[in-house]
Amino acid sequence: MSVQERKQRERAERERLIVATARELAEQQGWDAVTTRRLAERIEYSQPVLYSHFRGKREIIGAVALDGAAEMAVALRTATAAADGPRPRVTALARAYLDFAARNPAVYDAMFQLDGGLAFAHEDTPEPLKDAFAALLESLGEVAGDGVHPGLFTEVFWAALHGLATLTRAGRLPPEDAESRVELLVDRLAVV
């Protein structure tokens, strides 16, 4: 291995450490606790080293969001692959989405609530975000209904899931009705 390859590998490892540490700190104490000073202390590198990887917290949030999108896509595809038929696939998709949001609140915030400097629904949207949407579309496109654009249907269904995730987390919806909400969403929106 050349010196340059070793340096690139070490740089990538440092970047992964920064992102993982930011994610861990955000999950434990919230995003307000994630500062370059605290990250530098936790990973035992100087702040200038952090800034050599990310220009600031916004870019770190974006990196966490991209990792989260990739993880969500895997979780959705794993859940839907085990389901037999359109309705069970959509139900599994909804449950997996809501479970992901509940298990990873700081990552979910990075993906959808905070400014990570990422473009959504544009040509320059990063691939992990496109893939997460594609994971939704793969199951939802088949239940959009006649004459309904699959992408638009997926956006509406996703918005409903996001609303459920956000309102549940905020304590605005009683948790004991979570399964009934999923069933109602699937029954009313998906044409199966």
Side-chain angles (χ1 to χ4, degrees), residues 6-18:
R6 181 182 52 78
K7 285 182 179 185
Q8 288 174 339
R9 187 188 73 224
E10 289 171 355
R11 180 173 176 75
E13 287 172 7
R14 269 193 315 271
E15 193 166 299
R16 280 192 296 276
L17 177 62
I18 293 166

Side-chain angles (χ1 to χ4, degrees), residues 17-180:
L17 177 62
I18 293 166
V19 172
T21 303
R23 178 179 179 165
E24 179 183 313
L25 186 57
E27 291 292 2
Q28 291 171 352
Q29 299 177 30
W31 278 104
D32 287 342
V34 179
T35 64
T36 54
R37 191 177 124 248
R38 288 186 82 187
L39 285 174
E41 288 171 3
R42 280 208 174 189
I43 63 171
E44 299 177 345
Y45 283 105
S46 67
Q47 283 182 293
V49 170
L50 242 73
Y51 285 115
S52 75
H53 289 275
F54 299 99
R55 286 182 286 202
K57 183 175 177 176
R58 181 179 187 218
E59 285 188 4
I60 294 169
I61 290 169
V64 170
L66 293 176
D67 283 355
E71 290 173 25
M72 178 182 273
V74 169
L76 297 177
R77 287 187 175 110
T78 300
T80 57
D84 186 28
R87 187 180 197 294
R89 257 190 304 282
V90 173
T91 301
L93 175 102
R95 287 182 185 136
Y97 184 98
L98 295 171
D99 287 347
F100 180 90
R103 279 191 331 273
N104 305 284
V107 173
Y108 192 81
D109 284 349
M111 292 168 66
F112 301 119
Q113 305 285 30
L114 302 174
D115 179 10
L118 304 174
F120 283 81
H122 293 276
E123 284 183 30
D124 59 342
T125 297
E127 197 55 42
L129 298 178
K130 289 178 181 179
D131 190 49
F133 185 79
L136 291 166
L137 181 62
E138 288 162 10
S139 292
L140 294 171
E142 69 179 323
V143 297
D146 292 337
V148 177
H149 187 280
L152 291 176
F153 178 77
T154 299
E155 290 171 353
V156 170
F157 200 96
W158 172 29
L161 288 173
H162 176 69
L164 289 174
T166 303
L167 291 170
T168 299
R169 187 165 139 210
R172 303 294 196 268
L173 300 174
E176 63 271 11
D177 294 326
E179 187 58 32
S180 295

